[in-house]
Amino acid sequence: MKQHIDTAPIWESYREDCECPLCLLNAKAESSNVDYFLGESVMEPSQRIEVNKKGFCARHFKMMYDAGNRLGLALMTQTYMRETVKALRENAEKARSAAAEEAGKSILKRIGGKKSAGFDEAVAELKGMDDQCLMCKNIRESMDRYIYTVLYMYRHEAEFPKLFGESKGMCLKHYAETLEAAPKHLSGETLKHFVDTLTEIELRNFERLEEEIDWFTQKFDYRNQDKPWGNSRDAVKRSVNKLRWQVVED
Ligand SMILES: [Zn+2]
Ligand SMILES: [Zn+2]
């Protein structure tokens, strides 16, 4: 079965002047996921079950909170909280009985012997409670599809390689992910051409940002205070976002 390939969002973000077109796509995927989880998903029992089991990471919980739909978030959080309390009860029981088992051992046995696994298990279970974000999972799937589409377009759309070559590269995270995906979907001369272009624009644009942030710091020297800012005024924000991904907003 031929998979439908939607090239429009890629064209759109590559036509914007930005440090990473994939970050723009990531931001759109995040905002539509926020809308979905605060809206429709509340009415879908299968999604509710998933949310109740896994919840969201700190970043995505915060995004939903900032979106302002307190009732949507409350409805979802209420049942997730109920499941969490149930899990916490079982977890506390596990930790208590492991501690009781440890307490029963003599000091010599505790130093020399193997510690009971129950306590570590209980702690690992607690730590795992906040790293199973449903939104991260959806966004990961969208981003994999977008990266595949970029590679597909590089090979099949005559105008795309030029636009790609004129872009400012990507953030470090999306650069690594795209480079990783390249040999899975491209081969021969196209692969070589793509990797040459990508690594070249990436380096050139990191070097540009290095100069821009350098000038930002130099502008604080009184001797430079009347000299023009050039592109450096927002260089800190763009550098942080380039070094990681789009985490800092205006
Ligand atoms: Zn990015
Ligand atoms: Zn997340």
Side-chain angles (χ1 to χ4, degrees), residues 146-186:
Y146 286 137
I147 289 171
Y148 168 73
T149 309
V150 166
L151 297 165
Y152 173 90
M153 287 167 69
Y154 199 86
R155 189 167 156 210
H156 295 283
E157 308 252 321
E159 303 294 316
F160 187 66
K162 184 171 177 285
L163 189 61
F164 183 85
E166 288 164 357
S167 72
K168 292 177 171 170
M170 298 169 178
C171 70
L172 206 50
K173 170 182 153 80
H174 291 133
Y175 171 58
E177 289 173 2
T178 307
L179 206 54
E180 184 185 26
K184 292 181 199 155
H185 305 297
L186 299 176

Side-chain angles (χ1 to χ4, degrees), residues 6-10 13-14 21-22 24-29 32 139-153 178:
D6 186 10
T7 60
I10 309 288
S13 52
Y14 265 89
L22 289 174
L24 293 186
L25 292 161
N26 194 94
K28 280 184 197 162
S32 59
I139 290 158
R140 181 68 269 147
E141 283 165 11
S142 298
M143 292 314 294
D144 286 346
R145 203 169 55 246
Y146 286 137
I147 289 171
Y148 168 73
T149 309
V150 166
L151 297 165
Y152 173 90
M153 287 167 69
T178 307

Side-chain angles (χ1 to χ4, degrees), residues 37 47 49-58 60-61 80 84 87 124-138:
F37 280 107
Q47 279 297 322
I49 291 169
E50 281 285 284
V51 170
N52 291 345
K53 258 195 288 186
K54 297 181 176 157
F56 303 96
C57 67
H60 290 137
F61 249 132
Y80 174 53
T84 304
E125 207 173 83
L126 278 180
K127 285 185 172 174
M129 278 186 185
D130 70 347
D131 70 356
Q132 291 188 304
C133 177
L134 273 182
M135 226 189 276
C136 279
K137 183 173 158 272
N138 286 354

